[in-house]
Amino acid sequence: MKQISNPSVNELAEILMAQLLERGFAMSAVDRANLYATYLSDFMEKNGLQVYDESIGAEFLKYLSLRFSVETNGNLKLFIARVNAIVHQESFVTHVKMSEPVKLPAAFENILTDYKEHCKTKGLRSSSIRKREFCCRAFLSSLAHTEINGSIA
């Protein structure tokens, strides 16, 4: 697999911006990718790194994961996947697979099951319910990690 040798974040960002524009993405998506490139550049500068590789992208995602919402973390993951594709000269990444569902304590799983049933009775589409479940699961997981044990009656 051929790679771009010694890529700087600025070079990668320029290529990504061109790809987004050529595919007709809205300027808000281009601006968001540019903002994420700035975050990545700042991260690399703080850590004395000059050349991007996949391991830096993974560390960057870990570093930011607790600072942003689930949606923003998904956008950051997509940004890094696109940057990695550029480095490896692979085709444009349109989406990234959501991670496996987070395991929750039994009481939280029960609450989430009840909520999904509520959403069904309200007539929400299955795609909307899945999106809500993903967000709720992340929230409940953060509660579980702060030692709130789900002893809600």
Side-chain angles (χ1 to χ4, degrees):
M1 175 178 358
K2 188 177 177 187
Q3 295 184 332
I4 297 176
S5 55
N6 302 326
S8 71
V9 174
N10 289 339
E11 292 169 323
L12 295 169
E14 284 179 27
I15 294 168
L16 180 56
M17 301 313 140
Q19 288 178 344
L20 293 170
L21 289 170
E22 134 188 331
R23 285 170 175 76
F25 279 76
M27 280 308 296
S28 60
V30 175
D31 291 343
R32 184 173 46 247
N34 197 30
L35 176 64
Y36 295 163
T38 301
Y39 291 165
L40 178 58
S41 181
D42 291 348
F43 173 80
M44 289 178 63
E45 188 176 313
K46 286 180 188 174
N47 290 286
L49 305 166
Q50 295 179 3
V51 177
Y52 178 84
D53 67 35
E54 279 186 65
S55 66
I56 292 170
E59 287 301 313
F60 172 70
L61 289 174
K62 274 194 246 178
Y63 171 74
L64 290 180
S65 68
L66 297 176
R67 291 173 170 76
F68 291 108
S69 69
V70 171
E71 183 178 355
T72 300
N73 279 316
N75 289 334
L76 285 163
K77 187 176 178 182
L78 180 58
F79 167 77
I80 291 298
R82 286 174 173 164
V83 168
N84 290 341
I86 292 168
V87 169
H88 294 293
Q89 295 187 339
E90 297 171 348
S91 59
F92 183 79
V93 176
T94 57
H95 66 282
V96 290
K97 182 182 177 202
M98 298 297 255
S99 58
E100 292 298 314
V102 176
K103 298 283 185 203
L104 298 172
F108 285 163
E109 283 290 352
N110 293 338
I111 291 168
L112 188 55
T113 299
D114 290 346
Y115 177 66
K116 291 185 326 187
E117 284 302 316
H118 169 76
C119 290
K120 284 179 188 174
T121 61
K122 292 291 232 179
L124 271 72
R125 292 180 298 179
S126 59
S127 60
S128 297
I129 294 171
R130 280 192 307 273
K131 190 176 206 178
R132 288 179 179 209
E133 177 186 4
F134 184 79
C135 293
C136 288
R137 197 169 280 282
F139 172 71
L140 292 171
S141 175
S142 69
L143 289 180
H145 283 76
T146 57
E147 298 182 10
I148 296 175
N149 63 13
S151 58
I152 300 169

